[in-house]
Every structure is written in structure tokens, then in C-alpha cells.
Amino acid sequence: MKARLCMVLLLAVFIQPLQADKPGKAAIATAHYMATEAGHETFAMGGNAFDAAVAISAVLAVLEQTSCGIGGGGFYLIHRAEDGFETMIDAREMAPALAHRDMYLNPDGTANHDLSRSGPLAAGIPGQVAGMEHLAAKYGKLPLAVSLQPAIRIARDGFPVYTKFLGMLSRTEKTMRRWPAAPEVFLPGGKLPEMGQVIKNPDLLKVLEKIAAEGSDGFYKGELASKLVDGVRDAGGIWSMEDLANYEVKEREPIRTRYQEYELVTAPPPSSGGIAIAEMLNIIAPYQVSQLDRVQRTHLLVEAMRRAYRDRALYLGDPDFYEVPGQMLTDANYAAGLRAGIRFDKATPSAMLPGRDIQPGGTDTTHFSVMDDEGNMVAATLTVNTPFGSKFMVPGTGFMLNNEMDDFSTKPGEPNAWGLIGFTANEVQPHKRPLSSMSPTLMFGKDRQGIIGTPGGSRIITMVLLGVLDFFEGNGPESWVSLPRFHHQYMPDTIFAEPGAFSPDEVAALETMGHAIDVKSYTWGNMHGVMWNRETGEVSAASDKRSDAGLAVVR
Ligand code: GLY
């Protein structure tokens, strides 16, 4: 009798859905197939997800200088499987010591957008190299020098020009030609390269070899630092040796928010993404958004977006310089107050909330998602800001400098390149980090966990929100990255939509509610996601088809 009871209990245990404690496979989704392969190469050498993230970042720094690189910075949101520890490695650029609030104003007080977007004055002190070193030393299993090898190889042997690269190059070549060094690398023979033409970068090769040999000191101190400072100053910039030597990576406690039975771990300030996503989810929390019809769902999400982007403009900046009211903005009671102002039949004009008219700009930055077979996770979003950053390269270095200074509010209420406005919280100050929209995010449910993020300037936050909701609704990465996108950022008071995102009837219904809709002729974003279903054991990954070069591989 006792034996039979034991048998029944044992069977009961076995027929419970078993949850694997490790994925057993690794998944990588990035913006370029060579970066995805480099990440897997790192696993084959005994590396973990953090080493793979270093290798991928370095490869992208060679072949996706449209979007990121060692002249830029970014955020790595990481999850360590063995103890569940999570942190965000903040390798965001810092303003140089001589930066000041009014440095991008003309004598008549108007904003000089060219100075904050093009040339060396637009460049913050890069954080990318310090970020990679920190990730490798504190969380990786391989030396930095080993993880840099794929990038070194590609800088030496070259990469074939691909569609997105060529498109961005042709959009930016005119500005790039204002300084001689970058055209020598990217416009060989003085003209746009052909599709598939191989671009080698011997100067960047030397820089990467130096970093492999000397670590980040090879970049932030000594001969290369001196070359960077001289090159920046000769062309009108204000960097100093101290600015480079004093650059610091910071680890920041992520924003954590719950939605139904899910937990989201996402990017804290100096990113605006995590707080805005938490605020939007809190606003929509009482509604079953998946049950609403498409017009009502869009209306509700747009009203949440409008309010979160208003708060972004007013309250968010570098937390080391400005007391960000993060607790208030992510509080359910605060969201309830905002929700009370939403009518279900009518758009709230943004003019009823304080603000100015602004236009969103282009799209750039890069994101990748990595999970190793142990379940370590990295969501990394890296940037030089707009395509090819400042378009300025210090001669003899092979890498573009960012134009992240334009992510500051260069004049109160004046739109930046992404059409975003800001005030005191995000004004320029020495050593401060400009507010970002980059939103690398980790998603946890009782049986699934996922990694998501995308480039796209101000639209990053709304793209991630739509992807996160899709994860909550039970869908996987292929679906998140393929969703048609729409966006509202408070000002301008317009819903921007990708072609086909709404039917003509849906557009008409939203317009009747008082929404202005601008259906664009182009798409945006380049999302790369990974998911592990702990119940079925399936590991999946997907890369956005909006770009030709991305690749997701599970192995
Ligand atoms: N440079 C774009 C961002 O950080 O939001």
C-alpha cells in the first residue's frame, strides 16, 4: 500500500511540467551576421554571454560605425544566471570638463544645431572601451584581448559593404567630407563604395591591437589619448587628457516593474527608457489591452506614450547631476492620476500639457541580445547617436567620434536631432551624461524569459513597449521584431505610423477621436530579440527584417 502511494507521488512529480534550469543552447541576435558569428566563436572558446557581448560590440565597432563604435558608448543590461544578479553597465559618454550650458547657442541666443551634431565639439568622452573592459574583467571568463580577436581580424581583412551601411553613408557623406580622415576610410578613392566592396581599416586595427595589449589605458591614456585630444582640439573641440583619463563606467540598479504576472528589468537613468516604459505599463495596467479592439488599444497606448514622453522632457536627466523623481514616475498611484485624465472617446491634445512643437529625426544606434547555454543574459544598446555620429574622425584612428552632446537639452525646450525636448534636468554640465532613450530590457514570466531592444532614437522606447506587450501576450521574438510600429512622443502631437500599421478605417477612427496621424513611407527600428521558454526548453531568436544584415542564430 505504502509502496503504491510512493509510486503515485513519484508519477505525480513527473507529470508536472518540468522547467529546465538552463537553456542548454546559446542564442544571439545582432544587427550584423559577422557580429553574431563572432559571439558564437567566443562561446566555442569557452566564453560566456558577457564575453560574447564584448566580441560583438568590438565587431560592430568595426563594421557598423554608422551606429556605434569605440568613439561612442552604450548600456549593457545583464543578468547573471548563477545568482540572478542584475545590473546595468553604463558606458554612456560624458561631457568634457570645458562643456557648459550655453555652448551650443549662437550669439543671438538661438540654438546652433550644427555645433551639437557635427564635428568634434559634438562629441562626448567615449565610454565604449571602458565598458567592454569592465564587462570582460568583472563578468567574463576570457581576457579582453581574446574577445577582441574577431574585431581585429575584420579590421585587418575587411567587411563587405551592405545595404544599410551604404544608405547611411550616402545620407551623411556631404557632412563627412568636411573633415579629411573619415572619407579616407569610408569613401575610398573619394567616392561611395559599391555594394559588397571590402572596407579594411588599418588605423582601427592598430587601435584595437593596442587596446588588446594595454587594456583601456591604451585608449584613455598615453599616445592614443594624446592623438585624440590634439585631433579634437585642432578641429575646434575641447577635450583634454584629464577628460579621457577620468572617464568612468558606472553600474546602475535597473528599473524593475511588474505587469500582471511578469517582471520587467530595464534601463535606469541616464536612460529615459526604463522609467517611461514602467510609467506607460502602469497607466495601462487595469485594462486588458489584448482584449481591446485595435483602435481602442492604439488610442490607449498613444495616450500613455504622450504622458510618459511629457515626463521625460520635464524630469529626466543624469541622476548624478539631477534628482530624478524615479520613484514618483514609476509609482502606480502616480499612473492612476495620469490615467484619470484619459478619455476613452477623445485624444488629449498635447498642448493641454506643457511643451513645444518638435519633429522627430532619423534613426540609428544598434542593439543586440545574447543568452548563453547557462542562462546568462545581455541586452546591449550601443550608439554614436545619429548616423556616423559627429561625422568627424581624428586622423590616424579609424573610428568615428559620437555626437552624443546633442542628446543634452542644448537650449530649454529646443528639439534635439530626435525631436525630443528637455529642460534643466538634461542641460549641459561638465562631466554629465546626456539623457538617452536606449532601452535594453529583460523580460521574465513564470515560464518564459526574453531579451529585447532596438535602435531608433526617440522611438526606441515605444518600439520596446510594443515588443514587451507582445511578449506578455505569449508571442516570441519573430513576432516582436516584425510588429508594425507606431509612435507618439508628446510633441509633435501626432501618431507616427509605419506603412501598413493601420488600415484606412483604423486611421479614420483614430482621426475621429482627435488624433493626428502621419503614416510614413518608411519603416524604423532594427530590433533583435531572444527568448527561452523554460517549460518547453525551446530557445529562439530573431533579427529585424527591416535591415538586410542582421542575423539571429541559436546553437
Ligand atoms: N543617442 C540616442 C540615445 O541615446 O537615445
Side-chain angles (χ1 to χ4, degrees), residues 430-504:
H431 306 307
K432 190 175 176 182
R433 296 172 194 226
L435 186 62
S436 173
S437 299
M438 294 188 290
S439 311
T441 296
L442 307 175
M443 307 175 285
F444 297 93
K446 72 179 175 0
D447 50 14
R448 295 176 305 139
Q449 58 196 60
I451 312 170
I452 193 169
T454 180
S458 59
R459 296 173 185 173
I460 292 175
I461 301 170
T462 53
M463 283 186 265
V464 172
L465 175 74
L466 297 178
V468 160
L469 288 172
D470 201 43
F471 169 81
F472 294 160
E473 285 164 21
N475 297 314
E478 199 62 54
S479 173
W480 318 334
V481 305
S482 315
L483 288 173
R485 293 170 179 151
F486 62 90
H487 170 78
H488 191 292
Q489 62 179 47
Y490 161 59
M491 292 287 181
D493 191 351
T494 300
I495 301 174
F496 296 95
E498 288 189 324
F502 301 122
S503 69

Side-chain angles (χ1 to χ4, degrees), residues 92 312 365 383-385 404 407 418 435-438 457 460:
R92 182 77 165 158
R312 181 195 194 280
T365 303
T383 191
V384 284
N385 199 17
E404 226 67 64
D407 271 349
W418 306 108
L435 186 62
S436 173
S437 299
M438 294 188 290
I460 292 175

